[in-house]
Amino acid sequence: VHSLSVGVVAAEPPRGLVQEKMTENAVFSQNKVLTIDTMNPNVKNVEYAVRGPIVQRAVQIEKELREGVKKPFTEVIKANIGDAHAMGQQPITFFRQVLALCSYPELLKDNMFPEDAKSRARRILQACGGSSLGAYSASQGIDCVRQDVARYIERRDGGVPCDPDNVYLTSGASDGIVTMLKLLVCGEGASKTGVMISIPQYPLYSAALAELGAVQVNYYLNEEKCWSMDLSELERSLAEARKHCNPKVLCIINPGNPTGQVQSRQCIEDVIRFAAKEHLFLMADEVYQDNVYAEGCQFHSFKKVLFELGPQYSNTVELVSFHSTSKCYMGECGFRGGYMEVINMDPEVKAQLIKLVSVRLCPAVPGQALMDLVVNSPQPGEPSYTTFMKERTTTLSLLAEKAKLTEEILNTVPGITCNPVQGAMYSFPNISLPQKAIKEAKALGQAPDMFYCMKMLEETGICLVPGSGFGQKDGTYHFRMTILPPTDKLKLLLAKVKEFHQKFTRQYS
Amino acid sequence: VHSLSVGVVAAEPPRGLVQEKMTENAVFSQNKVLTIDTMNPNVKNVEYAVRGPIVQRAVQIEKELREGVKKPFTEVIKANIGDAHAMGQQPITFFRQVLALCSYPELLKDNMFPEDAKSRARRILQACGGSSLGAYSASQGIDCVRQDVARYIERRDGGVPCDPDNVYLTSGASDGIVTMLKLLVCGEGASKTGVMISIPQYPLYSAALAELGAVQVNYYLNEEKCWSMDLSELERSLAEARKHCNPKVLCIINPGNPTGQVQSRQCIEDVIRFAAKEHLFLMADEVYQDNVYAEGCQFHSFKKVLFELGPQYSNTVELVSFHSTSKCYMGECGFRGGYMEVINMDPEVKAQLIKLVSVRLCPAVPGQALMDLVVNSPQPGEPSYTTFMKERTTTLSLLAEKAKLTEEILNTVPGITCNPVQGAMYSFPNISLPQKAIKEAKALGQAPDMFYCMKMLEETGICLVPGSGFGQKDGTYHFRMTILPPTDKLKLLLAKVKEFHQKFTRQYS
């Protein structure tokens, strides 16, 4: 139903050695233990567009530019991944002060840091073995961090209780998602676990399912209704899947990635009732919970809505929610911080989950410290509060502004239709491609939107991800573009996209 | 042939709720989507003694002590895991200065840091997107860090060339090991991949193999010859395995964990020739490469020996070597830094490996920065050199001293026999258990050495890991004990072990 593009460019050996190496390879490759034919076929089936061939080509082009190769542009603009700091967003001062204090506690003696930063650092260090970020933590995460996460969730959800024992710190949200899928996926043939994911989806899901050998069950978001979820589509997808596998999990990304929609409270309610009725385990990817821009939109956590539906639901529906330090106003992707909260998980399974995370010892402790700061940020009256709030608000309103700008400019291009970017960090516009271009792409064995994006990269230096990497309805084409570049650069980028699209359309009409 | 102990204590709910929750569970647990019966059976088979039931009981006892429960001791001494900082080892000043500078670059303006720390920080930051540790790095790891790793390996191996394209940064060594096994393991029934691991082994291996559904192929280290590897035992093990699976991988840990031996050059040569002859992929876990204490022992990297054997081997044998920031003199476990170098990997498989690591985006960037500092430490003439060398040498000689001390004292105990701790961070002594104790343990369904260690924990507060968690010859019993506690505490610990062992022997004789 949907096609994902594969293919990774292997690193090139130094030029002089190429000939020699080629011969070597020819001689020995049949004799290797590990070859493309003997390796794990599940890994071969994995695809990950966000860092796929187009991004690798972008890296190559950057290198060529540095080496002086002439191009019709002077810079590659990467709008392929939600990497805020790489796009110039500044880290939150308070977070980095505390991390520096924790890394080198000698600084606690210094007067250059505010008292609240010092007290946060002391609190985190006291919870570390030997008062060092260099000790392993408990595998589930540092106790006091999990307690802070629990209190944060309670505040966010208007007092719905959260037990720190249900909180697991992770290496970013991806780690948590993969861990949960590992627990859930089993069986063979018709009893193989099916996992329902939205199309378009974030390709971590399809990649993890391929690796685990699970059945990917697609449900389509409704592009006409601003990428909302339709109950009838969930029903169709589930009924279809039940013919050939055992669907037990329903994954939702809200706010949406790559589609930028924010789910209504009603829709979340519908999804929970559906999961309860159909006996599905809910996985809610809520890493963009602070990234809501559109008027009238609001973030509703699945947990809160679950509890508002009453004990019939809140005591039974199994739910896990994921959060991360990488998105929202923090954008701290490199620290790989995150947490997940599990609700109504069977106690025996919880013990298995604790055992499973133990094998990897613990999530990186600096990331745990950062997660703590996010859920325990400066409070009114504390010395860092004003600066913190200013930095936070500035970042979020800039994002809101860029979300609007992106939608508006894209919609001025004939042949591009862009839904409102209600939240998250991406636009996912629909692009009309001429028949001639589609034909040419197919002749090259490429998805038409991959062909389009690759051409755009070569001609303009703009790096986007084709819709085929996320999945889309047959015969429709899209690209994902982050809204993260600084406003000026974003405007330039959008102008170039516009110009390219018009030129491309003319060329293939 | 060997038995591993399982079982994880589930977190207890608050007391008042127990009754109510029990009833709830009884009613709903049959209805849960995810139960012990429906979950992934491979995960159920995973065992991980280093953080197993004995460690969980130790955590509980610590809590009881804090709550004022009377015990025959006042403190739990954890000698179960190689966690140097938790045992009071101080971090290397230079490393932490650079990490603080990278976390909060405002500090670069300050005069309190030495110039070499500042220049390292600038170099790392320049290699990060947006000059921030908060940006994602390339999935394979930051380019300049991989270049530094390559130069480090070349220096270590007396000039044997290392291509940075063969270096992959990881989240600790565990992450690299699991990633490689994921690529290698496939097949069903008699064609299922077999992976040869030493017994005793570090339980990450058995855990990862269980999770991946691979066949664990045991080869036994020779306790009588100081835990050395016997070629004949490798041959026996392989021949046995070929009857029921497809053995393609041979894992070696050198210096040894949990056994503390350091392999001779001759032995490494034998292993490489064996792998070449038998068509096995070599995985060399070399995270303790700086931890060599015994006179006459020296660390030889598999890579160096491979190249010294000449092109017949160095052009063909597939090898991956793992290193980490967690051990040696650094002991920075919490940062989860590490790398692996792959040799003679098929280029197509390399592309698959790059794709696979892309799905997890990147290893935590602070850990990458730390890995860089380890392989690019202060050089003679730089302002931090003297302090760095002093700290490094002090730590390593203290460890050497404690290795000797541990062996000597343990060998004074009748019924305990301890091989020399030539390297790494552990002793793995053989303990004689009275028949009566063995019987009582079996009646309780416990491994006899688990019974022994659990009793020691309850009576003395000392937390060790039973040999059954690592595997051992049938009818032999061991425990693993780290040599990491500060010398005074280590002496106290060894005195307590001695006293306990004697008491235990009397009690069950």
Side-chain angles (χ1 to χ4, degrees), chain A residues 255-272:
Chain A
N257 175 5
T259 36
Q261 82 284 14
V262 176
Q263 268 184 298
S264 70
R265 200 189 165 291
Q266 181 59 51
C267 173
I268 294 174
E269 226 183 279
D270 290 347
V271 170
I272 293 173

Side-chain angles (χ1 to χ4, degrees), chain A residues 150-186:
Chain A
R151 283 199 296 262
Y152 160 86
I153 293 173
E154 288 178 350
R155 284 195 307 276
R156 183 197 68 187
D157 291 342
V160 174
C162 174
D163 182 346
D165 280 344
N166 290 340
V167 174
Y168 294 74
L169 298 184
T170 60
S171 295
S174 300
D175 174 44
I177 292 165
V178 171
T179 300
M180 282 309 305
L181 289 173
K182 254 187 215 169
L183 280 179
L184 282 155
V185 169
C186 59

Side-chain angles (χ1 to χ4, degrees), chain A residues 31-33 85 96 279 318, chain B residues 31 33 103 132 279 318 344:
Chain A
N31 292 325
K32 287 198 187 291
V33 178
H85 290 201
R96 295 309 196 89
H279 203 53
E318 294 154 79
Chain B
N31 292 323
V33 178
S103 300
S132 170
H279 204 54
E318 295 155 81
N344 290 319

Side-chain angles (χ1 to χ4, degrees), chain A residues 6 8-14 21 24-25 28-29 31-36 38-41 43-48 50-51 56 81-83 85-86 88 91 93 96-97 99-100 102-105 107 110 112-113 129-130 132-139 163 165 174-175 178 180 182-186 202 204 207-208 211 248 279-281 315-316 318 326-327 331-336 344-349 351-352 354-356 358-366, chain B residues 6 8-12 14 21 24-25 28-36 38-41 43-48 50-51 56 81-83 85-86 88 91 93 96-97 99-100 102-105 107 110 112-113 129-130 132-139 163 165 171 174-175 178 180 182-186 202 204 207-208 211 248 279-281 315-316 318 326-327 331-336 344-349 351-352 354-356 358-366:
Chain A
V6 212
V8 170
V9 182
E12 262 184 77
K21 280 215 175 165
E24 254 177 50
N25 286 340
F28 292 113
S29 77
N31 292 325
K32 287 198 187 291
V33 178
L34 183 60
T35 69
I36 199 83
T38 64
M39 68 175 281
N40 181 347
V43 171
K44 246 188 304 194
N45 292 335
V46 167
E47 290 161 4
Y48 196 63
V50 174
R51 296 221 153 179
Q56 307 206 6
I81 192 164
D83 191 356
H85 290 201
T93 304
R96 295 309 196 89
Q97 287 176 331
L99 288 168
C102 289
S103 300
Y104 187 51
L107 293 171
D110 210 289
M112 68 180 297
F113 290 98
S132 170
L133 291 188
Y136 290 121
S137 77
S139 302
D163 182 346
D165 280 344
S174 300
D175 174 44
V178 171
M180 282 309 305
K182 254 187 215 169
L183 280 179
L184 282 155
V185 169
C186 59
Y202 177 58
L204 167 71
E211 197 187 310
K248 354 188 243 198
H279 203 53
L280 296 169
F281 190 106
N315 285 339
T316 58
E318 294 154 79
S326 304
K327 310 298 169 188
E332 295 275 14
C333 311
F335 279 81
R336 313 306 303 120
N344 290 317
M345 184 179 266
D346 185 291
E348 281 184 297
V349 177
Q352 294 288 328
I354 290 172
K355 183 188 70 178
L356 181 61
S358 297
V359 178
R360 296 296 279 275
L361 296 160
C362 68
V365 176
Chain B
V6 212
V8 171
V9 182
E12 260 185 80
K21 280 218 174 162
E24 252 178 49
N25 286 340
F28 291 111
S29 76
Q30 295 148 295
N31 292 323
K32 287 200 188 289
V33 178
L34 182 60
T35 70
I36 199 82
T38 64
M39 69 176 280
N40 181 347
V43 171
K44 247 190 303 194
N45 292 336
V46 167
E47 290 161 5
Y48 196 63
V50 175
R51 296 220 153 180
Q56 306 206 6
I81 191 165
D83 191 357
H85 290 200
T93 304
R96 295 310 196 90
Q97 286 176 330
L99 288 168
C102 289
S103 300
Y104 186 50
L107 294 171
D110 209 292
M112 67 180 298
F113 291 98
S132 170
L133 292 187
Y136 291 120
S137 77
S139 301
D163 181 347
D165 279 343
S171 295
S174 301
D175 174 43
V178 171
M180 281 309 305
K182 253 187 215 169
L183 279 179
L184 283 156
V185 169
C186 58
Y202 178 58
L204 167 70
E211 199 188 309
K248 354 189 243 198
H279 204 54
L280 296 169
F281 191 107
N315 284 339
T316 58
E318 295 155 81
S326 304
K327 310 298 169 186
E332 295 275 14
C333 312
F335 280 81
R336 315 305 304 116
N344 290 319
M345 185 179 264
D346 184 292
E348 280 184 298
V349 176
Q352 293 289 327
I354 291 173
K355 183 188 70 178
L356 181 61
S358 298
V359 178
R360 297 296 279 276
L361 297 160
C362 68
V365 176

Side-chain angles (χ1 to χ4, degrees), chain A residues 110-321:
Chain A
D110 210 289
N111 287 326
M112 68 180 297
F113 290 98
E115 266 316 310
D116 49 354
K118 288 187 181 180
S119 69
R120 289 294 198 294
R122 282 196 201 94
R123 184 159 179 275
I124 291 167
L125 288 174
Q126 271 163 19
C128 293
S131 296
S132 170
L133 291 188
Y136 290 121
S137 77
S139 302
Q140 194 173 351
I142 299 172
D143 276 7
C144 87
V145 178
R146 291 190 293 110
Q147 284 156 15
D148 289 346
V149 167
R151 283 199 296 262
Y152 160 86
I153 293 173
E154 288 178 350
R155 284 195 307 276
R156 183 197 68 187
D157 291 342
V160 174
C162 174
D163 182 346
D165 280 344
N166 290 340
V167 174
Y168 294 74
L169 298 184
T170 60
S171 295
S174 300
D175 174 44
I177 292 165
V178 171
T179 300
M180 282 309 305
L181 289 173
K182 254 187 215 169
L183 280 179
L184 282 155
V185 169
C186 59
E188 284 304 322
S191 68
K192 207 179 239 190
T193 300
V195 178
M196 299 178 71
I197 63 173
S198 61
I199 298 293
Q201 53 114 17
Y202 177 58
L204 167 71
Y205 289 91
S206 52
L209 296 178
E211 197 187 310
L212 292 167
V215 179
Q216 174 179 327
V217 177
N218 297 335
Y219 65 88
Y220 286 80
L221 300 176
N222 190 334
E223 184 164 15
E224 285 67 43
K225 289 190 188 159
C226 196
W227 297 115
S228 62
M229 267 173 98
D230 275 353
L231 206 54
S232 60
E233 168 59 11
L234 285 178
E235 281 160 357
R236 178 207 64 76
S237 157
L238 182 65
E240 195 77 25
R242 286 207 168 124
K243 291 179 194 158
H244 60 93
C245 71
N246 177 16
K248 354 188 243 198
V249 189
L250 172 55
C251 300
I252 303 103
I253 312 175
N254 178 50
N257 175 5
T259 36
Q261 82 284 14
V262 176
Q263 268 184 298
S264 70
R265 200 189 165 291
Q266 181 59 51
C267 173
I268 294 174
E269 226 183 279
D270 290 347
V271 170
I272 293 173
R273 289 184 204 278
F274 175 78
K277 181 171 147 247
E278 301 292 352
H279 203 53
L280 296 169
F281 190 106
L282 276 176
M283 287 179 51
D285 182 338
E286 304 183 317
V287 299
Y288 297 98
Q289 54 191 264
D290 294 331
N291 298 106
V292 175
Y293 316 118
E295 258 179 67
C297 285
Q298 203 190 324
F299 171 72
H300 302 276
S301 79
F302 266 78
K303 165 129 182 249
K304 186 174 185 219
V305 177
L306 177 67
F307 275 73
E308 286 169 356
L309 288 179
Q312 187 195 346
Y313 293 93
S314 67
N315 285 339
T316 58
V317 175
E318 294 154 79
L319 167 69
V320 54
S321 160

